């Protein structure tokens, strides 16, 4: 069943991407899915958003149905406020959450970590990892690349709320050239929602 994010966010989808109901496209546990129909090649490249409040347990993810592009991912460094507290702990938490994602995906596929990078700032920590996933789809072998971006975000409407948000792009290696730049653009656009005007 699709979930909702624990903080309000805003983002822009690049041209050529279409939102889709998570439950209808086989991505339970995520709050948002976007598909890239033009890249369809036995698999449709997709972007997902999931997240939970810190301390609530595992972050919700697409259970291996999504993957992301390769390379460095711009995250709008410093744009995401996280509030006061031990931010170094958050950075460590992001690595642990990324490890949990690899473990969860490994239950249904062969997963190899290709790249990991700390991003952002001490005030707005983030973490990215690129995974190589080998699985099957309708009985046929399927190789995917998943780029994951983890961000710690504070809800601008309720500063006491902090969440870890996971943005993920899943694609076949042959689709990456068509979608990797779009994912970077999407990540750069991702931010806490502005408070409503009184």
């Amino acid at each position: 069943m699709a979930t909702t994010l624990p903080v309000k966010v805003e983002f822009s989808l690049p041209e050529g991407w279409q939102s889709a109901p998570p439950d209808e496209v086989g991505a339970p546990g995520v709050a948002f899915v976007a598909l890239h129909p033009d890249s369809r090649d036995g698999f449709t490249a997709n972007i997902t958003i999931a997240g939970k409040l810190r301390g609530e347990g595992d972050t919700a993810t697409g259970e291996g149905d999504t993957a992301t592009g390769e390379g460095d991912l711009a995250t709008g460094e410093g744009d995401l406020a996280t509030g006061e507290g031990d931010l170094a702990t958050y950075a460590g938490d992001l690595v642990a959450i990324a490890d949990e994602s690899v473990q969860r995906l490994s239950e249904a596929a062969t997963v190899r970590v290709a790249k990991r990078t700390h991003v952002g700032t001490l005030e707005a920590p983030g973490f990215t990892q690129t995974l190589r996933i080998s699985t099957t789809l309708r009985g046929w072998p399927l190789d995917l690349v998943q780029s994951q971006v983890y961000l710690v975000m504070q809800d601008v409407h309720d500063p006491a709320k902090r969440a870890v948000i996971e943005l993920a792009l899943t694609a076949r290696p042959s689709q990456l050239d068509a979608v990797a730049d779009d994912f970077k653009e999407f990540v750069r656009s991702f931010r806490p929602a502005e408070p409503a005007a009184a």
Side-chain angles (χ1 to χ4, degrees):
M1 179 165 52
T3 64
T4 58
L5 292 177
V7 295
K8 296 185 183 303
V9 299
E10 297 175 346
F11 57 87
S12 299
L13 271 181
E15 187 175 341
W17 291 83
Q18 301 172 355
S19 62
D23 289 333
E24 291 181 20
V25 295
V30 303
F32 178 83
V33 175
L35 304 175
H36 191 262
D38 289 348
S39 70
R40 186 172 290 128
D41 178 17
F43 179 86
T44 304
N46 60 79
I47 292 173
T48 60
I49 305 172
K52 285 199 173 187
L53 291 176
R54 183 176 179 265
E56 280 193 336
D58 296 341
T59 57
T61 65
E63 303 282 330
D65 293 335
T66 59
T68 62
E70 301 179 46
D72 297 329
L73 303 169
T75 59
E77 295 179 9
D79 292 340
L80 304 174
T82 59
E84 300 300 321
D86 184 2
L87 295 172
T89 300
Y90 284 107
D93 286 350
L94 296 180
V95 175
I97 291 167
D99 287 342
E100 291 168 7
S101 176
V102 171
Q103 179 62 38
R104 186 170 46 253
L105 292 170
S106 295
E107 293 173 5
T110 301
V111 180
R112 180 175 62 84
V113 178
K115 182 175 182 178
R116 290 183 139 189
T117 309
H118 285 279
V119 297
T121 64
L122 185 61
E123 293 76 25
F127 188 76
T128 70
Q129 68 178 1
T130 302
L131 307 177
R132 301 285 184 173
I133 302 169
S134 295
T135 186
T136 59
L137 180 66
R138 295 186 215 56
W140 293 93
L142 178 65
D143 290 327
L144 298 171
V145 178
Q146 185 170 66
S147 294
Q148 301 173 339
V149 178
Y150 293 94
L151 305 170
V152 177
M153 296 183 70
Q154 180 183 38
D155 187 346
V156 295
H157 303 281
D158 182 358
K161 287 171 94 175
R162 288 186 200 90
V164 174
I165 304 297
E166 178 194 288
L167 312 177
L169 167 70
T170 304
R172 294 177 73 130
S174 61
Q175 298 167 324
L176 287 177
D177 286 346
V179 299
D181 287 344
D182 285 353
F183 185 59
K184 293 175 187 178
E185 179 184 335
F186 167 75
V187 172
R188 284 192 294 267
S189 78
F190 199 84
R191 62 197 177 277
E194 294 297 325

